[in-house]
Amino acid sequence: MSLMTFAYLIVGLVLLMTGAEALVRGAAKLAARFGISPLIIGLTVVAFGTSAPEAAVSIQASLSGSGDIAVGNVIGSNIANILLILGLSALVAPLLVSRQLVRLDVPVMIGAGVLTFFLAWNGRVSRLDGGILIASLLLYTVFLIIASKREKRRAPVDEFITEYGPEGQPKPLGWLVQLSMIVLGLGLLMAGSNLLIEGAVALARALGLSELVIGLTVIAVGTSIPELATSLLAVYRGERDIAVGNVVGSCIFNLLLVLGAGALVSADGLSISPNALAFDLPVMLAVFGACLPIFFSGYQIKRWEGTMFLGYYLAYTLYLVMFSTGLPAISLLRHAMTWYVLPLTVITLFVIFLRAWKHQR
């Protein structure tokens, strides 16, 4: 393992972050210039922008034949989004959860996870399956746009106008600058994903870890940096509901767009390893399911719940590394998680849900 491996990883991540920022800014400003609703921009361009690094890495991995990295990136990013990002954000300040998120977006997130698991059950996400995932995302986006037009509340619209709306009189050649930012962002995303894939594969081989584990950990956390930065910044600004919405929306886009696009560009679709099918996908679904009772209890995520999220993420990462390297202590960790931690968690979530349900009545 050489210094070039780490250089590829670091430079690749920097290029991904810079490219995603340039793509979002350029596309959002260009859309606002042509009179597209700022709220629609937020629901589409900005939501895609935070998932752009995952999309770039997974598509590049699919094209280069590293399907495990593509799949691990999506699953790992979703697990990191909920457990790591929401956990850290809740430690900074308790997070608020909107009622629409609990009633619509979280069920859609769980539904997307179940659909993905069903399509991957045979060990492969084919091109047809990828088309189904993309079509599901289009239906979800259309539904969001129609629902947003029925809402008369101005707060979300004002927020995106402030962030992406036109500033004063548009400059005559401003569209050229914005188009250049889009092209630059796409170029940086492509270059960054290439370097990140090369560095990740080299790191996996040097450490004796599988590409799936590297995708689930190193790449997943790296490509989730935009969501982490957005959520922490939202908490710092006092917009604690945006932090949760950003994470849930990103999970939906990762499954439907990123995984779907990765399957479409691959000649034979994406193969799903038995380990991912038997362990990582069920863990992702369990994490999604745990969101409902926690979000429903007072429509907030408390600090102790954020601590619990972080603890589970550390345990999950430790399990992956120990399993991949064959450490003997893996049996002890598996025993503790199966017979002590998980039953206590199920009981805790049930009590939380029961109390919240009684309070709602």
Side-chain angles (χ1 to χ4, degrees):
M1 183 168 52
S2 65
L3 291 177
M4 288 302 298
T5 299
F6 293 102
Y8 281 166
L9 289 173
I10 294 172
V11 175
L13 285 173
V14 171
L15 291 179
L16 282 175
M17 302 309 109
T18 307
E21 177 69 13
L23 177 64
V24 171
R25 293 288 169 181
K29 289 288 186 181
L30 187 63
R33 183 183 185 88
F34 286 99
I36 299 176
S37 165
L39 181 56
I40 295 178
I41 295 172
L43 292 171
T44 54
V45 177
V46 178
F48 167 75
T50 57
S51 295
E54 286 93 338
V57 169
S58 292
I59 290 173
Q60 182 61 40
S62 299
L63 291 173
S64 61
S66 299
D68 279 345
I69 289 182
V71 174
N73 177 39
V74 170
I75 300 173
S77 291
N78 283 353
I79 294 174
N81 281 345
I82 301 296
L83 298 183
L84 177 63
I85 295 177
L86 286 186
L88 285 174
S89 301
L91 282 182
V92 176
L95 302 178
L96 301 179
V97 182
S98 70
R99 293 179 181 271
Q100 176 186 333
L101 205 69
V102 175
R103 294 173 180 173
L104 173 63
D105 300 291
V106 173
V108 168
M109 179 181 70
I110 295 174
V114 172
L115 174 63
T116 301
F117 187 76
F118 174 77
L119 294 177
W121 183 252
N122 61 353
R124 179 171 297 276
V125 178
S126 65
R127 280 184 162 179
L128 176 60
D129 297 334
I132 292 174
L133 293 174
I134 296 291
S136 300
L137 176 65
L138 293 177
L139 289 175
Y140 172 66
T141 304
V142 169
F143 178 81
L144 280 179
I145 294 173
I146 294 174
S148 69
K149 291 183 177 180
R150 295 176 180 174
E151 292 290 337
K152 302 301 181 182
R153 292 174 295 182
R154 294 289 299 171
V157 179
D158 293 337
E159 172 196 335
F160 288 112
I161 287 177
T162 302
E163 189 72 14
Y164 300 108
E167 301 174 358
Q169 190 68 23
K171 297 179 181 180
L173 295 179
W175 66 271
L176 188 58
V177 175
Q178 291 143 12
L179 186 61
S180 300
M181 288 181 65
I182 295 175
V183 175
L184 175 63
L186 290 173
L188 292 176
L189 283 173
M190 292 175 62
S193 62
N194 274 321
L195 290 176
L196 192 62
I197 295 298
E198 289 186 25
V201 171
L203 182 63
R205 291 171 178 170
L207 296 179
L209 302 175
S210 67
E211 292 185 3
L212 176 63
V213 171
I214 292 295
L216 288 165
T217 54
V218 177
I219 295 182
V221 173
T223 54
S224 294
I225 289 178
E227 289 90 343
L228 177 61
T230 301
S231 296
L232 291 178
L233 185 60
V235 172
Y236 176 76
R237 290 176 175 176
E239 300 165 341
R240 294 179 292 165
D241 54 340
I242 295 178
V244 183
N246 165 60
V247 164
V248 173
S250 177
C251 288
I252 295 172
F253 267 71
N254 284 343
L255 286 174
L256 300 183
L257 173 65
V258 178
L259 193 64
L264 281 177
V265 301
S266 180
D268 300 318
L270 292 174
S271 62
I272 309 296
S273 73
N275 288 334
L277 197 60
F279 180 70
D280 301 294
L281 268 172
V283 167
M284 184 191 73
L285 290 177
V287 169
F288 285 177
C291 288
L292 269 181
I294 291 177
F295 289 6
F296 188 61
S297 61
Y299 293 97
Q300 62 177 327
I301 305 174
K302 304 178 181 66
R303 280 192 170 95
W304 74 266
E305 292 167 336
T307 304
M308 183 177 68
F309 277 174
L310 281 177
Y312 273 117
Y313 188 73
L314 292 176
Y316 171 72
T317 305
L318 180 62
Y319 180 88
L320 287 178
V321 174
M322 293 175 69
F323 178 81
S324 183
T325 55
L327 293 177
I330 184 67
S331 59
L332 180 61
L333 178 61
R334 185 187 297 116
H335 180 81
M337 294 295 294
T338 303
W339 297 105
Y340 295 98
V341 179
L342 292 180
L344 286 175
T345 303
V346 171
I347 294 172
T348 302
L349 292 175
F350 178 75
V351 172
I352 290 174
F353 180 79
L354 191 61
R355 288 179 177 177
W357 180 70
K358 289 182 177 179
H359 179 73
Q360 291 296 320
R361 293 182 64 188

